Amino acid sequence: MGNNLKEIRKQIGSVKNTQKTTRAMKLVSTSKLKKAEEMAKRSKVFANKLNEVFNDILSKIKIRGLENINSKYFLNLKDRDIKKVDIIFVTADKGLCGGFNSMTIKEVIRLMNEYKSQGIKVRLRGIGKKGIAYFVFNEIEVLDKIADLSSFPDYDRAAAFAMKVVQDYLDGLTDEVLIVHNGFKNMISQELKVKNLLPLGIDTKTLDVNSSAVTIEPDDEEDLVLDELAKKYIEYNMYYALIDSLAAEHSSRMQAMDTATNNAGELVKSLTVSYNKARQEAITTELVEINAGVEAMK
């Protein structure tokens, strides 16, 4: 019985130590989340403005017709023959963040199966240790890998990564580029995002040709201007995906550590009840043995 009590005390101590760790990790994630959330909000404002300007220009392109644009970035999305698709996925470099990484991985696998069922070849490009490790372990090739960019988003590195994909697209090595990541929604929830990076087409349902404030005057360098704008648009969307993912990661880890801390507390209560019962049983047994010895001495 003494050994049992010792073992329960050891378990309680171990769980309490784990609880201290998870509580500390929750506080760290909460602090990091505030910074990442502020960064994501500022970046989202810029991204929205960039998208507005970009949509204004696309509205003008719509008026003229895509057939009058020589830029390879802008294509009619209808009736395209897609043979190869590149999927960029963003996961965390660390675990202990609930289903944050698994949600992205599952979506990538779903997209892969969907494209393969249509006879379309899929190539993966990965950002984040967890996603890369999963696909490498399962012997699925990852063309480009960056292991530390999702933890420390950097515009120049994100742009360099994106431009590799862009160059493959311009060289005809891929016909479409998607980016998949878990994005920040609010303090307690995340949302899975799948965005088409290339080609840049026109959504006739959302563009209003009469509201465009941007004027494109025909000249010999117009296509070069469109190319440069398209590059910046892709670069910033790549960078924003990293910031958005980082905020979502901290949010998910904060929740996971909060749940783990609460579960540890419940386990400590349960073990404490078990310890008290075992202790009472031990005391009762000792009293019975003492009384039995006293009776035997009479």
Side-chain angles (χ1 to χ4, degrees), residues 68-85:
N68 297 318
I69 301 299
N70 294 321
S71 174
K72 291 183 178 180
Y73 292 93
F74 301 89
L75 293 177
N76 191 334
L77 299 183
K78 294 182 179 180
D79 302 324
R80 289 188 305 123
D81 185 18
I82 302 175
K83 295 181 180 179
K84 294 181 181 178
V85 172

Side-chain angles (χ1 to χ4, degrees), residues 47-48 50-52 54-55 58 77 85-90 107-108 110-111 115 165 176-183 191-201 230 232-242 244:
N48 288 339
L50 180 62
N51 288 340
E52 286 178 13
F54 199 71
N55 283 337
L58 288 180
L77 299 183
V85 172
D86 281 10
I87 298 178
I88 302 172
F89 63 83
V90 181
E107 180 62 16
V108 172
R110 187 193 70 78
L111 288 169
Y115 280 117
V165 185
E176 187 172 280
V177 179
L178 304 177
I179 181 168
V180 182
H181 73 282
N182 224 335
E191 57 181 341
L192 195 63
K193 296 181 180 179
V194 180
K195 184 178 181 65
N196 279 72
L197 281 185
L198 284 168
L200 302 173
K232 291 299 179 184
Y233 177 81
I234 293 167
E235 288 176 359
Y236 197 81
N237 273 278
M238 182 74 254
Y239 176 63
Y240 177 69
L242 295 174
D244 193 28

Side-chain angles (χ1 to χ4, degrees), residues 163-182:
M163 285 304 104
K164 286 184 181 180
V165 185
V166 168
Q167 193 58 52
D168 277 4
Y169 172 79
L170 296 177
D171 292 340
L173 299 179
T174 186
D175 302 309
E176 187 172 280
V177 179
L178 304 177
I179 181 168
V180 182
H181 73 282
N182 224 335

